[in-house]
């Protein structure tokens, strides 16, 4: 179990940038190694109306991390009386992950949000908080290699929301079809 | 075991951890009811259980979990019945059907085939019996006796035994 800790539950998350919008999508399978437990698992959560977080990797750490992040964001909302910007939120996630540098959360988060003037922002990071900003798309999970290929070939600049939805869905579905640990449909959020 | 009047907890795994952990949860659920005058909802109890498992997981900064897999079932007046799958590394998921252990390979398939939402108690017991039959015939290390417990609006209680080895009765928790 230690060797394949990132592949224990199986996951696939992808986020893509469009014209003043973004899309974030994940698969729906929850498994325990090769056994499927559920086909309706939610990997993407809304932090606030303009920031979404997708957590791939070990489901238990994804749930713990999500609870800690919602707590920190609510505290921020109470103190600052406004929502967090996506860049700020990404820094928060990165800091929380690095706090556990020598006993990490086995998750790879994908953060997608709309910043000032509806400028879309996406980023991913590894399990100890090394941020990877991208202008087009980010991927995470057991199907990440397939996702890189699918997104690279299907992505176009400045897609409208409807086209972005189609692109993200097709990229996700075709990638998870080649990965036995993720699949069973997808959840797609377009903002 | 019976967690409170309208909740059941089924636990499998390391025997010491199993008894310790489920009794700990049971007492804390009771404490909440004493302190606050109302019982916890099933979702709240499930999240509390997950939280305890998650905390224990990282207590010495390395994987040190309670080796107990849990299925928590409950009935709430507002939301009806619900079932929660909580594995030993604190993965929580609300499910319609669940199973743990070697028998799960057979039970889950049986339930995938025959389960539909809105089943009556008779249909459900029938499905449980089908699963028990599968386990008895297909599992080499099948246990001989089974107990069926049920939760509904009238509470949590033992429903029936399926014994193939009649032995001296075991005291239940």
């Amino acid at each position: 179990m230690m060797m394949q800790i990132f592949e224990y539950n199986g996951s696939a998350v992808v986020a893509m940038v469009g014209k003043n919008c973004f899309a974030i999508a994940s698969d729906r399978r929850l498994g325990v190694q090769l056994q499927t437990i559920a086909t309706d698992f939610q990997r993407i959560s809304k932090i606030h109306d303009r920031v979404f977080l997708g957590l791939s990797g070990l489901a238990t750490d994804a749930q713990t991390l999500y609870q800690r992040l919602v707590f920190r964001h609510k505290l921020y909302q109470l103190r600052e009386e406004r929502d967090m910007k996506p860049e700020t939120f990404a820094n928060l996630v990165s800091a929380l992950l690095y706090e556990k540098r020598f006993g990490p959360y086995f998750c790879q988060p994908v953060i997608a949000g709309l910043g000032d003037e509806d400028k879309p922002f996406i980023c991913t990071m590894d399990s100890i908080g090394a941020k990877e900003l991208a202008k087009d798309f980010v991927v995470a999970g057991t199907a990440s290699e397939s996702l890189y290929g699918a997104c690279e070939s299907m992505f176009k600049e400045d897609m409208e929301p409807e086209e972005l939805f189609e692109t993200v869905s097709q990229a996700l579905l075709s990638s998870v079809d080649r990965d036995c640990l993720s699949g069973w449909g997808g959840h797609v959020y377009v903002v | 075991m019976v967690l409170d009047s309208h909740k059941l907890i089924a636990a499998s795994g390391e025997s010491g951890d199993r008894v310790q952990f489920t009794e700990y949860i049971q007492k804390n659920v009771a404490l909440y009811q004493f302190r606050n005058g109302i019982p916890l909802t099933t979702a709240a109890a499930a999240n509390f259980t997950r939280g305890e498992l998650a905390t224990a997981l990282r207590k010495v900064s390395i994987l040190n979990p309670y080796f107990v897999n849990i299925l928590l079932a409950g009935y709430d007046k507002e939301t009806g019945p619900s079932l929660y799958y909580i594995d030993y590394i604190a993965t929580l998921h609300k499910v319609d059907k669940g199973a743990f252990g070697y028998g799960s390979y057979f039970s889950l398939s049986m339930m995938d085939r025959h389960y539909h939402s809105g089943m009556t108690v008779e249909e459900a017991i029938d499905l449980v019996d089908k699963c028990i039959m599968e386990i008895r015939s297909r599992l080499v290390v099948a246990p001989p006796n089974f107990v069926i417990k049920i939760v509904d609006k009238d509470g949590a209680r033992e429903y029936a035994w399926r014994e193939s080895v009649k032995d001296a009765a075991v005291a239940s928790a």
Side-chain angles (χ1 to χ4, degrees), chain A residues 35 40 60-61 63-64 103-104, chain B residues 50 58 85 89-90 92-93 104:
Chain A
Q35 189 184 37
D40 57 355
T60 175
D61 283 346
Q63 286 171 336
T64 306
Chain B
R50 187 207 106 82
R58 289 189 182 258
Y85 168 105
I89 46 171
L92 171 71
H93 193 54
S104 70

Side-chain angles (χ1 to χ4, degrees), chain A residues 69-177:
Chain A
L69 285 164
V70 162
F71 168 72
R72 294 292 295 265
H73 180 254
K74 282 186 175 170
L75 217 54
Y76 181 95
Q77 274 179 325
L78 285 172
R79 287 182 176 142
E80 302 257 336
E81 292 180 359
R82 64 184 178 91
D83 292 329
M84 246 189 209
K85 282 205 283 244
E87 294 85 358
T88 319
F89 185 71
N91 275 323
L92 172 64
V93 180
S94 177
L96 270 182
L97 289 172
Y98 197 77
E99 249 175 29
K100 303 277 182 205
R101 170 66 178 81
F102 300 109
Y105 289 119
F106 298 106
C107 295
Q108 275 174 303
V110 168
I111 294 147
L114 283 178
D116 299 324
E117 288 137 37
D118 286 353
K119 187 166 181 317
F121 169 87
I122 52 171
C123 88
T124 184
M125 51 192 83
D126 68 3
S127 58
I128 46 176
K131 263 190 299 189
E132 184 196 314
L133 302 165
K135 293 198 173 58
D136 39 14
F137 59 86
V138 290
V139 304
T142 50
S144 55
E145 280 131 10
S146 309
L147 277 167
Y148 273 124
C151 290
E152 193 68 64
S153 51
M154 297 190 203
F155 180 79
K156 285 198 321 263
E157 292 269 340
D158 285 338
M159 279 186 281
E160 294 295 328
E162 291 78 20
E163 205 194 340
L164 186 66
F165 171 78
E166 282 301 325
T167 310
V168 160
S169 312
Q170 289 303 323
L172 180 72
L173 288 175
S174 56
S175 310
V176 302
D177 279 346

Side-chain angles (χ1 to χ4, degrees), chain B residues 69-88:
Chain B
N69 295 311
I70 286 172
L71 284 170
L72 202 155
Y75 184 90
D76 302 307
K77 264 212 307 268
E78 300 83 19
T79 48
S82 44
L83 177 67
Y84 290 89
Y85 168 105
I86 309 170
D87 81 1
Y88 75 102

